[in-house]
Protein backbone atom coordinates (compact mmCIF):
# COMPACT_ATOMS: atom_id res chain seq x y z
CA UNK A 1 0.00 0.00 0.00
CA UNK A 2 1.02 3.61 -0.42
CA UNK A 3 2.12 5.33 2.79
CA UNK A 4 -0.63 7.96 2.87
CA UNK A 5 -3.43 5.46 2.20
CA UNK A 6 -2.00 2.99 4.72
CA UNK A 7 -1.89 5.70 7.39
CA UNK A 8 -5.44 6.80 6.50
CA UNK A 9 -6.76 3.26 6.90
CA UNK A 10 -5.24 2.94 10.38
CA UNK A 11 -6.16 6.49 11.44
CA UNK A 12 -8.31 6.86 14.58
CA UNK A 13 -10.42 9.24 12.44
CA UNK A 14 -11.12 6.53 9.88
CA UNK A 15 -14.72 6.22 11.10
CA UNK A 16 -15.34 9.96 11.17
CA UNK A 17 -17.59 10.92 8.25
CA UNK A 18 -15.59 12.35 5.28
CA UNK A 19 -17.94 15.36 5.22
CA UNK A 20 -16.84 16.26 8.76
CA UNK A 21 -13.14 15.99 7.86
CA UNK A 22 -13.80 17.84 4.62
CA UNK A 23 -15.45 20.69 6.52
CA UNK A 24 -12.54 20.91 8.96
CA UNK A 25 -9.56 20.65 6.59
CA UNK A 26 -11.37 22.15 3.59
CA UNK A 27 -12.36 25.13 5.71
CA UNK A 28 -8.80 25.60 6.92
CA UNK A 29 -7.56 25.25 3.33
CA UNK A 30 -9.95 27.97 2.21
CA UNK A 31 -8.71 30.18 5.07
CA UNK A 32 -5.10 29.59 3.97
CA UNK A 33 -5.91 30.63 0.41
CA UNK A 34 -8.29 33.52 0.94
CA UNK A 35 -7.29 35.26 4.18
CA UNK A 36 -4.24 37.54 4.44
CA UNK A 37 -1.16 35.31 4.55
CA UNK A 38 -0.21 36.75 7.94
CA UNK A 39 -1.80 35.66 10.18
CA UNK A 40 -4.44 33.73 8.15
CA UNK A 41 -2.22 31.12 6.47
CA UNK A 42 -0.02 30.73 9.55
CA UNK A 43 -3.02 30.12 11.82
CA UNK A 44 -4.56 27.70 9.31
CA UNK A 45 -1.33 25.68 9.16
CA UNK A 46 -1.01 25.68 12.94
CA UNK A 47 -4.62 24.54 13.39
CA UNK A 48 -4.26 21.78 10.75
CA UNK A 49 -0.99 20.53 12.26
CA UNK A 50 -2.38 20.64 15.82
CA UNK A 51 -5.50 18.67 14.87
CA UNK A 52 -3.58 16.30 12.58
CA UNK A 53 -0.76 15.42 14.96
CA UNK A 54 -3.11 15.62 17.98
CA UNK A 55 -6.47 13.80 17.86
CA UNK A 56 -6.03 12.45 14.29
CA UNK A 57 -2.59 11.02 15.25
CA UNK A 58 -1.02 11.41 11.81
CA UNK A 59 2.47 9.84 11.89
CA UNK A 60 4.93 12.80 11.74
CA UNK A 61 7.63 10.89 9.86
CA UNK A 62 5.25 9.75 7.10
CA UNK A 63 3.86 13.30 6.95
CA UNK A 64 7.35 14.78 6.53
CA UNK A 65 8.24 12.22 3.86
CA UNK A 66 5.08 13.05 1.89
CA UNK A 67 5.47 16.81 2.31
CA UNK A 68 9.08 17.39 1.33
CA UNK A 69 8.75 17.02 -2.46
CA UNK A 70 5.81 19.46 -2.85
CA UNK A 71 7.49 21.78 -0.35
CA UNK A 72 10.65 21.81 -2.45
CA UNK A 73 8.50 22.63 -5.49
CA UNK A 74 6.96 25.52 -3.56
CA UNK A 75 10.34 26.82 -2.38
CA UNK A 76 11.96 26.56 -5.82
CA UNK A 77 8.99 28.33 -7.37
CA UNK A 78 9.14 31.04 -4.73
CA UNK A 79 12.87 31.58 -5.28
CA UNK A 80 12.23 32.57 -8.91
CA UNK A 81 10.18 35.50 -7.58
CA UNK A 82 13.27 36.95 -5.89
CA UNK A 83 14.80 37.89 -9.22
CA UNK A 84 13.58 39.90 -12.17
CA UNK A 85 14.73 39.34 -15.76
CA UNK A 86 15.03 41.66 -18.75
CA UNK A 87 15.05 44.93 -16.83
CA UNK A 88 16.46 48.20 -18.32
CA UNK A 89 19.65 48.10 -16.19
CA UNK A 90 20.59 44.43 -16.05
CA UNK A 91 19.41 41.16 -17.57
CA UNK A 92 19.06 39.68 -14.08
CA UNK A 93 18.40 41.75 -10.97
CA UNK A 94 16.80 41.44 -7.56
CA UNK A 95 13.05 41.96 -7.88
CA UNK A 96 11.73 44.93 -5.91
CA UNK A 97 9.70 43.54 -3.02
CA UNK A 98 10.46 40.06 -4.36
CA UNK A 99 11.19 38.53 -0.96
CA UNK A 100 7.80 39.63 0.36
CA UNK A 101 6.02 38.11 -2.63
CA UNK A 102 8.06 34.89 -2.39
CA UNK A 103 7.37 34.57 1.35
CA UNK A 104 3.67 35.18 0.81
CA UNK A 105 3.34 32.54 -1.92
CA UNK A 106 5.48 30.00 -0.05
CA UNK A 107 3.65 30.57 3.23
CA UNK A 108 0.22 30.27 1.66
CA UNK A 109 1.13 27.13 -0.32
CA UNK A 110 2.83 25.47 2.68
CA UNK A 111 -0.26 26.08 4.83
CA UNK A 112 -2.57 24.76 2.11
CA UNK A 113 -0.35 21.70 1.71
CA UNK A 114 -0.61 20.95 5.45
CA UNK A 115 -4.43 21.04 5.23
CA UNK A 116 -4.51 18.81 2.13
CA UNK A 117 -2.10 16.27 3.64
CA UNK A 118 -3.93 16.07 6.96
CA UNK A 119 -7.17 15.32 5.09
CA UNK A 120 -5.43 12.67 2.96
CA UNK A 121 -3.74 11.11 6.01
CA UNK A 122 -7.08 10.72 7.82
CA UNK A 123 -9.43 9.79 4.96
CA UNK A 124 -8.92 6.65 2.86
CA UNK A 125 -9.71 7.12 -0.81
CA UNK A 126 -11.93 4.03 -0.60
CA UNK A 127 -14.29 6.01 1.69
CA UNK A 128 -14.50 8.91 -0.75
CA UNK A 129 -15.06 7.11 -4.06
CA UNK A 130 -18.54 5.62 -3.41
CA UNK A 131 -19.71 9.09 -2.36
CA UNK A 132 -18.85 10.52 -5.79
CA UNK A 133 -22.08 9.00 -7.13
CA UNK A 134 -24.04 11.12 -4.65
CA UNK A 135 -22.46 14.23 -6.17
CA UNK A 136 -24.30 13.41 -9.38
CA UNK A 137 -21.51 11.63 -11.28
CA UNK A 138 -22.72 8.74 -13.50
CA UNK A 139 -22.56 5.36 -11.74
CA UNK A 140 -20.65 3.84 -14.65
CA UNK A 141 -17.94 6.47 -14.29
CA UNK A 142 -17.72 6.14 -10.50
CA UNK A 143 -17.42 2.36 -10.79
CA UNK A 144 -14.64 2.74 -13.37
CA UNK A 145 -12.78 5.08 -10.99
CA UNK A 146 -13.30 2.63 -8.11
CA UNK A 147 -11.97 -0.21 -10.28
CA UNK A 148 -8.90 1.86 -11.12
CA UNK A 149 -8.30 2.37 -7.39
CA UNK A 150 -8.69 -1.33 -6.62
CA UNK A 151 -6.39 -2.42 -9.45
CA UNK A 152 -3.61 0.09 -9.02
CA UNK A 153 -2.17 -1.41 -5.84
CA UNK A 154 -1.86 -4.86 -7.42
CA UNK A 155 -0.29 -3.29 -10.51
CA UNK A 156 2.09 -1.17 -8.46
CA UNK A 157 3.17 -4.31 -6.64
CA UNK A 158 3.61 -6.11 -9.97
CA UNK A 159 5.72 -3.22 -11.31
CA UNK A 160 7.84 -3.24 -8.14
CA UNK A 161 8.49 -7.00 -8.43
CA UNK A 162 9.41 -6.78 -12.13
CA UNK A 163 11.74 -3.88 -11.39
CA UNK A 164 13.45 -5.78 -8.57
CA UNK A 165 13.95 -8.77 -10.87
CA UNK A 166 15.35 -6.50 -13.60
CA UNK A 167 17.68 -4.77 -11.14
CA UNK A 168 18.88 -8.21 -9.98
CA UNK A 169 19.89 -8.88 -13.60
CA UNK A 170 21.77 -5.53 -13.73
CA UNK A 171 19.02 -4.06 -15.86
CA UNK A 172 19.54 -0.54 -14.51
CA UNK A 173 23.34 -0.34 -14.60
CA UNK A 174 23.62 1.99 -17.59
CA UNK A 175 21.33 4.64 -19.03
CA UNK A 176 20.67 2.57 -22.16
CA UNK A 177 19.89 -0.52 -20.08
CA UNK A 178 17.59 1.64 -17.93
CA UNK A 179 15.59 2.79 -20.96
CA UNK A 180 15.32 -0.78 -22.28
CA UNK A 181 14.33 -2.22 -18.89
CA UNK A 182 11.78 0.49 -18.31
CA UNK A 183 10.24 -0.15 -21.74
CA UNK A 184 9.95 -3.85 -20.94
CA UNK A 185 8.47 -3.00 -17.55
CA UNK A 186 5.88 -0.64 -19.06
CA UNK A 187 4.86 -3.21 -21.69
CA UNK A 188 4.61 -5.98 -19.07
CA UNK A 189 2.43 -3.80 -16.84
CA UNK A 190 0.12 -3.00 -19.78
CA UNK A 191 -0.25 -6.67 -20.72
CA UNK A 192 -0.80 -7.74 -17.12
CA UNK A 193 -3.32 -5.00 -16.42
CA UNK A 194 -5.46 -6.07 -19.39
CA UNK A 195 -5.01 -9.75 -18.54
CA UNK A 196 -6.04 -9.06 -14.95
CA UNK A 197 -9.13 -7.19 -16.16
CA UNK A 198 -10.09 -10.13 -18.36
CA UNK A 199 -9.63 -12.61 -15.52
CA UNK A 200 -11.66 -10.39 -13.24
CA UNK A 201 -14.44 -10.29 -15.82
CA UNK A 202 -14.44 -14.09 -16.06
CA UNK A 203 -14.58 -14.34 -12.26
CA UNK A 204 -17.42 -11.82 -12.07
CA UNK A 205 -19.37 -13.57 -14.83
CA UNK A 206 -19.22 -16.77 -12.81
CA UNK A 207 -20.86 -14.82 -9.97
CA UNK A 208 -23.65 -13.51 -12.18
CA UNK A 209 -22.10 -10.17 -13.25
CA UNK A 210 -24.53 -8.10 -15.31
CA UNK A 211 -22.66 -4.83 -15.44
CA UNK A 212 -23.29 -3.52 -11.91
CA UNK A 213 -20.55 -3.74 -9.29
CA UNK A 214 -22.52 -3.42 -6.08
CA UNK A 215 -20.45 -3.23 -2.91
CA UNK A 216 -21.39 -2.55 0.68
CA UNK A 217 -20.38 0.91 1.83
CA UNK A 218 -20.11 1.76 5.50
CA UNK A 219 -22.29 4.85 5.81
CA UNK A 220 -22.07 6.42 9.25
CA UNK A 221 -24.64 9.20 9.64
CA UNK A 222 -23.46 12.81 9.45
CA UNK A 223 -24.19 14.33 12.84
CA UNK A 224 -24.93 18.08 12.71
CA UNK A 225 -23.05 18.52 16.00
CA UNK A 226 -19.91 16.96 14.47
CA UNK A 227 -20.22 19.20 11.41
CA UNK A 228 -20.58 22.25 13.63
CA UNK A 229 -17.55 21.22 15.71
CA UNK A 230 -15.55 20.73 12.48
CA UNK A 231 -16.50 24.19 11.28
CA UNK A 232 -15.35 25.84 14.50
CA UNK A 233 -11.55 25.84 13.85
CA UNK A 234 -11.84 27.44 10.37
CA UNK A 235 -14.34 29.98 11.68
CA UNK A 236 -12.06 30.77 14.64
CA UNK A 237 -9.07 31.19 12.30
CA UNK A 238 -11.09 33.49 10.04
CA UNK A 239 -12.31 35.55 12.98
CA UNK A 240 -8.81 35.84 14.47
CA UNK A 241 -7.21 36.73 11.14
CA UNK A 242 -9.77 39.37 10.29
CA UNK A 243 -9.76 40.97 13.73
CA UNK A 244 -7.96 44.28 13.25
CA UNK A 245 -5.20 45.35 15.62
CA UNK A 246 -4.76 41.88 17.10
CA UNK A 247 -1.62 41.06 15.12
CA UNK A 248 1.64 42.95 14.50
CA UNK B 1 21.27 18.72 3.41
CA UNK B 2 19.22 19.46 0.31
CA UNK B 3 21.36 19.51 -2.80
CA UNK B 4 20.75 21.30 -6.08
CA UNK B 5 20.07 17.83 -7.52
CA UNK B 6 17.22 17.36 -5.08
CA UNK B 7 15.79 20.79 -5.85
CA UNK B 8 15.88 20.16 -9.60
CA UNK B 9 14.53 16.68 -8.98
CA UNK B 10 11.61 18.07 -7.03
CA UNK B 11 10.64 20.12 -10.10
CA UNK B 12 11.32 17.37 -12.57
CA UNK B 13 9.60 14.48 -10.85
CA UNK B 14 6.82 16.50 -9.33
CA UNK B 15 5.79 18.82 -12.11
CA UNK B 16 2.33 19.00 -10.63
CA UNK B 17 1.59 22.46 -9.29
CA UNK B 18 1.45 22.08 -5.53
CA UNK B 19 -1.62 22.72 -3.38
CA UNK B 20 -2.21 26.42 -2.74
CA UNK B 21 0.54 27.59 -5.11
CA UNK B 22 -1.84 29.26 -7.57
CA UNK B 23 -3.99 32.26 -6.57
CA UNK B 24 -7.65 31.20 -6.15
CA UNK B 25 -8.80 33.12 -9.26
CA UNK B 26 -6.25 31.30 -11.44
CA UNK B 27 -7.10 27.94 -9.88
CA UNK B 28 -10.80 28.49 -10.70
CA UNK B 29 -10.03 29.76 -14.22
CA UNK B 30 -7.93 26.68 -15.10
CA UNK B 31 -10.60 24.40 -13.65
CA UNK B 32 -13.19 26.07 -15.90
CA UNK B 33 -10.82 25.75 -18.89
CA UNK B 34 -10.26 22.03 -18.26
CA UNK B 35 -13.91 21.22 -17.45
CA UNK B 36 -15.28 20.85 -21.03
CA UNK B 37 -12.51 18.42 -21.97
CA UNK B 38 -12.98 16.38 -18.79
CA UNK B 39 -16.77 16.31 -19.23
CA UNK B 40 -16.35 15.19 -22.83
CA UNK B 41 -13.92 12.48 -21.70
CA UNK B 42 -16.23 11.38 -18.89
CA UNK B 43 -19.08 11.15 -21.39
CA UNK B 44 -16.91 9.02 -23.72
CA UNK B 45 -16.11 6.68 -20.83
CA UNK B 46 -19.75 6.50 -19.68
CA UNK B 47 -21.01 5.79 -23.22
CA UNK B 48 -18.35 3.11 -23.73
CA UNK B 49 -19.33 1.42 -20.46
CA UNK B 50 -23.08 1.61 -21.19
CA UNK B 51 -22.55 0.12 -24.65
CA UNK B 52 -20.39 -2.70 -23.31
CA UNK B 53 -20.31 -3.39 -19.54
CA UNK B 54 -17.06 -5.35 -20.00
CA UNK B 55 -15.38 -2.12 -21.09
CA UNK B 56 -15.63 -0.95 -17.48
CA UNK B 57 -13.06 -3.49 -16.35
CA UNK B 58 -10.69 -2.68 -19.20
CA UNK B 59 -11.05 1.07 -18.58
CA UNK B 60 -10.37 0.51 -14.89
CA UNK B 61 -7.25 -1.43 -15.88
CA UNK B 62 -6.27 1.39 -18.27
CA UNK B 63 -6.62 3.96 -15.48
CA UNK B 64 -4.49 1.85 -13.16
CA UNK B 65 -1.93 1.43 -15.95
CA UNK B 66 -1.77 5.24 -16.41
CA UNK B 67 -1.15 5.70 -12.68
CA UNK B 68 1.58 3.02 -12.57
CA UNK B 69 3.15 4.46 -15.73
CA UNK B 70 3.45 7.87 -14.09
CA UNK B 71 5.05 6.24 -11.03
CA UNK B 72 7.88 4.58 -13.00
CA UNK B 73 11.32 6.07 -12.51
CA UNK B 74 13.29 7.29 -15.50
CA UNK B 75 16.91 8.49 -15.36
CA UNK B 76 17.15 12.26 -15.03
CA UNK B 77 19.91 14.54 -16.28
CA UNK B 78 20.67 15.62 -12.70
CA UNK B 79 21.86 12.11 -11.92
CA UNK B 80 18.77 11.21 -9.93
CA UNK B 81 15.49 9.96 -11.35
CA UNK B 82 12.22 11.38 -12.51
CA UNK B 83 8.78 10.16 -13.60
CA UNK B 84 7.29 10.09 -17.10
CA UNK B 85 4.09 12.03 -17.73
CA UNK B 86 2.63 9.09 -19.64
CA UNK B 87 0.41 11.58 -21.49
CA UNK B 88 1.77 10.64 -24.93
CA UNK B 89 1.47 6.89 -24.53
CA UNK B 90 -1.95 7.23 -22.94
CA UNK B 91 -3.19 9.41 -25.81
CA UNK B 92 -1.81 7.03 -28.45
CA UNK B 93 -3.36 3.98 -26.78
CA UNK B 94 -6.66 5.36 -25.50
CA UNK B 95 -7.17 8.65 -27.50
CA UNK B 96 -7.12 12.18 -25.99
CA UNK B 97 -10.82 12.39 -24.93
CA UNK B 98 -10.56 9.24 -22.83
CA UNK B 99 -7.15 10.37 -21.56
CA UNK B 100 -8.77 13.58 -20.27
CA UNK B 101 -10.96 11.43 -18.01
CA UNK B 102 -8.31 8.85 -17.10
CA UNK B 103 -5.71 11.59 -16.59
CA UNK B 104 -8.04 13.46 -14.24
CA UNK B 105 -8.54 10.31 -12.18
CA UNK B 106 -4.79 9.69 -12.14
CA UNK B 107 -4.07 13.26 -11.02
CA UNK B 108 -6.74 13.08 -8.30
CA UNK B 109 -5.22 9.83 -7.02
CA UNK B 110 -1.72 11.34 -7.16
CA UNK B 111 -2.88 14.34 -5.12
CA UNK B 112 -4.55 12.22 -2.43
CA UNK B 113 -2.22 9.20 -2.38
CA UNK B 114 1.19 10.75 -3.14
CA UNK B 115 0.74 14.47 -2.36
CA UNK B 116 1.81 15.20 -5.94
CA UNK B 117 -0.31 18.17 -6.95
CA UNK B 118 -3.23 19.61 -5.06
CA UNK B 119 -7.01 19.64 -4.98
CA UNK B 120 -7.40 23.36 -5.68
CA UNK B 121 -4.72 23.13 -8.39
CA UNK B 122 -6.24 19.97 -9.89
CA UNK B 123 -7.86 21.95 -12.73
CA UNK B 124 -4.54 23.55 -13.73
CA UNK B 125 -2.72 20.22 -13.59
CA UNK B 126 -5.50 18.50 -15.54
CA UNK B 127 -5.32 21.20 -18.22
CA UNK B 128 -1.57 20.73 -18.73
CA UNK B 129 -1.21 16.98 -18.18
CA UNK B 130 -4.55 15.49 -19.19
CA UNK B 131 -5.69 17.93 -21.89
CA UNK B 132 -2.85 19.78 -23.63
CA UNK B 133 -0.22 17.03 -23.26
CA UNK B 134 -2.38 14.24 -24.73
CA UNK B 135 -3.81 16.41 -27.54
CA UNK B 136 -0.41 17.79 -28.61
CA UNK B 137 1.15 14.33 -28.32
CA UNK B 138 -1.63 12.71 -30.28
CA UNK B 139 -1.45 15.46 -32.93
CA UNK B 140 2.30 14.89 -33.30
CA UNK B 141 1.79 11.14 -33.47
CA UNK B 142 -0.87 11.38 -36.17
CA UNK B 143 1.17 13.89 -38.19
CA UNK B 144 4.32 11.77 -38.18
CA UNK B 145 2.24 8.65 -38.88
CA UNK B 146 0.85 10.37 -41.99
CA UNK B 147 4.26 11.66 -43.08
CA UNK B 148 5.83 8.20 -42.72
CA UNK B 149 2.97 6.26 -44.29
CA UNK B 150 5.30 4.87 -46.97
CA UNK B 151 7.85 3.56 -44.46
CA UNK B 152 7.65 0.02 -43.03
CA UNK B 153 5.08 -0.28 -40.23
CA UNK B 154 7.60 -0.77 -37.38
CA UNK B 155 9.79 2.17 -38.43
CA UNK B 156 6.82 4.49 -39.00
CA UNK B 157 5.29 3.51 -35.67
CA UNK B 158 8.61 4.10 -33.87
CA UNK B 159 9.02 7.63 -35.29
CA UNK B 160 5.40 8.53 -34.61
CA UNK B 161 5.42 7.18 -31.04
CA UNK B 162 8.67 8.99 -30.23
CA UNK B 163 7.28 12.28 -31.58
CA UNK B 164 4.00 11.81 -29.74
CA UNK B 165 5.54 10.97 -26.36
CA UNK B 166 8.27 13.63 -26.49
CA UNK B 167 5.90 16.38 -27.68
CA UNK B 168 3.32 15.47 -25.03
CA UNK B 169 5.97 15.73 -22.33
CA UNK B 170 7.37 19.04 -23.62
CA UNK B 171 3.96 20.64 -24.13
CA UNK B 172 2.89 19.62 -20.62
CA UNK B 173 5.88 21.39 -19.10
CA UNK B 174 5.49 24.42 -21.37
CA UNK B 175 1.88 24.85 -20.29
CA UNK B 176 2.85 24.46 -16.62
CA UNK B 177 5.49 27.19 -17.10
CA UNK B 178 2.85 29.39 -18.74
CA UNK B 179 0.38 28.76 -15.90
CA UNK B 180 3.00 29.79 -13.35
CA UNK B 181 4.05 32.80 -15.45
CA UNK B 182 0.46 34.03 -15.74
CA UNK B 183 0.00 33.66 -11.98
CA UNK B 184 3.31 35.30 -11.07
CA UNK B 185 4.40 37.74 -13.80
CA UNK B 186 7.92 39.12 -13.53
CA UNK B 187 8.21 42.54 -11.87
CA UNK B 188 10.21 43.93 -14.83
CA UNK B 189 9.33 41.97 -17.93
CA UNK B 190 5.84 40.68 -17.14
CA UNK B 191 4.43 37.32 -18.19
CA UNK B 192 7.04 36.80 -20.92
CA UNK B 193 9.94 37.25 -18.49
CA UNK B 194 8.32 34.99 -15.92
CA UNK B 195 7.70 32.35 -18.62
CA UNK B 196 11.41 32.52 -19.49
CA UNK B 197 12.34 32.11 -15.81
CA UNK B 198 10.10 29.11 -15.14
CA UNK B 199 10.86 27.63 -18.56
CA UNK B 200 14.61 27.94 -17.93
CA UNK B 201 14.34 25.97 -14.69
CA UNK B 202 12.21 23.28 -16.32
CA UNK B 203 14.26 23.01 -19.49
CA UNK B 204 17.38 21.88 -17.58
CA UNK B 205 15.64 18.66 -16.73
CA UNK B 206 12.61 18.46 -19.00
CA UNK B 207 14.15 18.52 -22.49
CA UNK B 208 16.38 15.48 -21.80
CA UNK B 209 13.48 13.86 -19.94
CA UNK B 210 11.17 14.32 -22.91
CA UNK B 211 13.73 12.58 -25.15
CA UNK B 212 14.15 9.73 -22.65
CA UNK B 213 10.37 9.38 -22.27
CA UNK B 214 10.08 9.24 -26.05
CA UNK B 215 12.66 6.44 -26.24
CA UNK B 216 11.06 4.47 -23.39
CA UNK B 217 7.64 4.81 -25.05
CA UNK B 218 9.05 3.50 -28.35
CA UNK B 219 10.39 0.42 -26.52
CA UNK B 220 6.99 -0.10 -24.84
CA UNK B 221 4.98 0.15 -28.07
CA UNK B 222 7.44 -2.01 -30.03
CA UNK B 223 7.16 -4.75 -27.42
CA UNK B 224 3.39 -4.40 -27.31
CA UNK B 225 3.18 -4.71 -31.08
CA UNK B 226 4.70 -8.17 -30.64
CA UNK B 227 3.18 -9.48 -27.41
CA UNK B 228 -0.14 -7.61 -27.43
CA UNK B 229 -0.80 -7.24 -31.14
CA UNK B 230 -4.52 -7.95 -30.82
CA UNK B 231 -4.96 -5.20 -28.23
CA UNK B 232 -3.09 -2.66 -30.38
CA UNK B 233 -5.18 -3.61 -33.41
CA UNK B 234 -8.34 -3.21 -31.33
CA UNK B 235 -7.12 0.16 -30.05
CA UNK B 236 -6.35 1.09 -33.70
CA UNK B 237 -2.69 1.81 -32.89
CA UNK B 238 -1.50 -0.75 -35.46
CA UNK B 239 -2.74 -0.79 -39.03
CA UNK B 240 -4.65 -3.95 -39.81
CA UNK B 241 -3.22 -6.45 -42.31
CA UNK B 242 -5.94 -5.35 -44.72
CA UNK B 243 -4.30 -1.95 -44.83
CA UNK B 244 -6.78 -0.08 -42.68
CA UNK B 245 -5.60 3.15 -41.17
CA UNK B 246 -5.13 3.84 -37.49
CA UNK B 247 -8.39 5.72 -37.28
CA UNK B 248 -9.69 6.43 -33.80
CA UNK B 249 -12.50 4.13 -32.75
CA UNK B 250 -14.88 6.97 -32.02
CA UNK B 251 -12.91 8.08 -29.00
CA UNK B 252 -13.43 4.71 -27.38
CA UNK B 253 -10.66 3.25 -25.29
CA UNK B 254 -11.50 -0.39 -25.64
Amino acid sequence: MLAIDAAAHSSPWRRVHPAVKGTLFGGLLACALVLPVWPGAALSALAALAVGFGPARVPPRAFARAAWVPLLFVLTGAVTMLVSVGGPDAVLAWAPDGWRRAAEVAGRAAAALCCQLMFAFSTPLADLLPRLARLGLPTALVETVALTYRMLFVLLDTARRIRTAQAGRLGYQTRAAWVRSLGVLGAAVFVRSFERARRMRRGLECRGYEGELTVLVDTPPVRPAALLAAALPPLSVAAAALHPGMWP
Amino acid sequence: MTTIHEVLESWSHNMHIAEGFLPPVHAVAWTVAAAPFVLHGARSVTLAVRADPDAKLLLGASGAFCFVLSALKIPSVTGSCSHPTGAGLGAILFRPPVMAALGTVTLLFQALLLAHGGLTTLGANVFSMAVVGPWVGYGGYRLVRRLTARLPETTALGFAVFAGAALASLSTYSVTSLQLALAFPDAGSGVLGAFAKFGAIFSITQIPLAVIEGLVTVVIVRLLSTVARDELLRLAVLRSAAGGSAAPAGGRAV
Side-chain angles (χ1 to χ4, degrees):
Chain A
M1 270 186 107
L2 296 164
I4 293 180
D5 214 36
H9 274 281
S10 54
S11 166
W13 278 19
R14 165 80 205 272
R15 298 282 160 210
V16 176
H17 198 283
V20 174
K21 289 177 277 192
T23 305
L24 171 61
F25 294 117
L28 290 172
L29 176 64
C31 287
L33 294 179
V34 176
L35 294 174
V37 68
W38 174 258
L43 288 176
S44 301
L46 273 177
L49 292 174
V51 172
F53 292 136
R57 275 187 267 150
V58 171
R61 191 171 290 185
F63 177 86
R65 217 175 288 138
W68 84 269
V69 170
L71 274 180
L72 270 183
F73 177 97
V74 168
L75 290 177
T76 319
V79 163
T80 60
M81 293 165 207
L82 295 176
V83 293
S84 171
V85 294
D89 302 326
V91 176
L92 198 67
W94 291 111
D97 223 19
W99 66 270
R100 189 186 294 273
R101 197 177 177 209
E104 187 178 318
V105 171
R108 208 181 278 286
L113 181 68
C114 289
C115 302
Q116 180 201 345
L117 275 178
M118 288 308 181
F119 177 74
F121 267 103
S122 57
T123 314
L125 208 45
D127 290 356
L128 290 176
L129 295 179
R131 290 177 170 87
L132 290 178
R134 290 184 202 164
L135 297 176
L137 291 178
T139 315
L141 186 68
V142 174
E143 284 188 356
T144 308
V145 175
L147 273 169
T148 298
Y149 173 73
R150 292 201 173 90
M151 285 190 199
L152 71 90
F153 294 104
V154 182
L155 274 187
L156 276 173
D157 191 48
T158 304
R160 221 171 276 142
R161 283 165 195 260
I162 295 173
R163 193 188 152 82
T164 306
Q166 287 176 325
R169 297 188 199 102
L170 306 179
Y172 293 94
Q173 286 299 97
T174 63
R175 211 161 271 228
W178 194 317
V179 169
R180 198 171 47 246
S181 297
L182 206 59
V184 174
L185 173 55
V189 169
F190 178 87
V191 172
R192 291 199 187 186
S193 64
F194 272 57
E195 181 54 33
R196 196 168 288 280
R198 264 188 224 109
R199 276 168 30 209
M200 189 188 272
R201 188 190 64 200
R202 253 178 260 139
L204 285 168
E205 278 170 355
C206 293
R207 293 174 179 86
Y209 174 62
E210 288 176 339
E212 289 283 320
L213 290 169
T214 43
V215 290
L216 285 173
V217 184
D218 189 15
T219 48
V222 194
R223 287 184 296 123
L227 270 181
L228 199 65
L232 269 180
L235 289 174
S236 308
V237 166
L242 295 173
H243 194 273
M246 196 173 163
W247 306 93
Chain B
M1 195 180 155
T2 303
T3 63
I4 189 72
H5 279 192
E6 286 173 311
V7 173
L8 286 172
E9 189 190 340
S10 76
W11 273 59
S12 62
H13 86 208
N14 183 22
M15 274 297 304
H16 312 66
I17 299 175
E19 180 61 82
F21 199 73
L22 288 181
V25 175
H26 285 252
V28 171
W30 288 114
T31 304
V32 170
F37 297 94
V38 177
L39 288 176
H40 179 229
R43 193 167 167 272
S44 300
V45 168
T46 308
L47 289 178
V49 170
R50 281 190 189 145
D52 174 15
D54 289 348
K56 191 188 295 174
L57 298 167
L58 292 178
L59 279 165
S62 306
F65 171 70
C66 290
F67 184 92
V68 174
L69 190 72
S70 65
L72 298 180
K73 288 179 177 173
I74 60 175
S76 150
V77 73
T78 59
S80 54
C81 26
S82 178
H83 299 284
T85 60
L89 179 60
I92 292 165
L93 291 176
F94 310 122
R95 309 286 174 257
V98 173
M99 252 326 267
L102 294 184
T104 304
V105 174
T106 303
L107 286 165
L108 178 69
F109 284 3
Q110 284 176 339
L112 289 173
L113 295 173
L114 302 171
H116 288 184
L119 297 174
T120 61
T121 54
L122 185 67
N125 288 326
V126 164
F127 191 80
S128 65
M129 295 187 190
V131 176
V132 175
W135 274 107
V136 170
Y138 189 67
Y141 164 78
R142 295 283 295 169
L143 183 69
V144 176
R145 204 82 164 107
R146 193 165 293 173
L147 292 175
T148 56
R150 289 174 189 278
L151 292 177
E153 171 75 2
T154 315
T155 314
L157 186 65
F159 280 127
V161 167
F162 178 83
L167 282 174
S169 179
L170 279 178
S171 59
T172 294
Y173 298 123
S174 303
V175 171
T176 304
S177 299
L178 182 67
Q179 289 170 330
L180 294 174
L182 286 169
F184 309 107
D186 187 81
S189 48
V191 172
L192 211 62
F195 182 68
K197 273 195 297 188
F198 288 114
I201 294 181
F202 285 148
S203 61
I204 298 170
T205 52
Q206 296 315 324
I207 293 173
L209 276 178
V211 173
I212 294 172
E213 184 170 346
L215 292 173
V216 169
T217 310
V218 169
V219 176
I220 292 176
V221 175
R222 278 201 171 189
L223 278 168
L224 288 180
S225 62
T226 311
V227 298
R229 196 170 178 79
D230 290 345
E231 273 83 3
L232 293 200
L233 282 169
R234 196 142 62 110
L235 293 166
V237 175
L238 287 178
R239 296 177 187 130
S240 66
S245 68
R252 284 187 53 189
V254 286

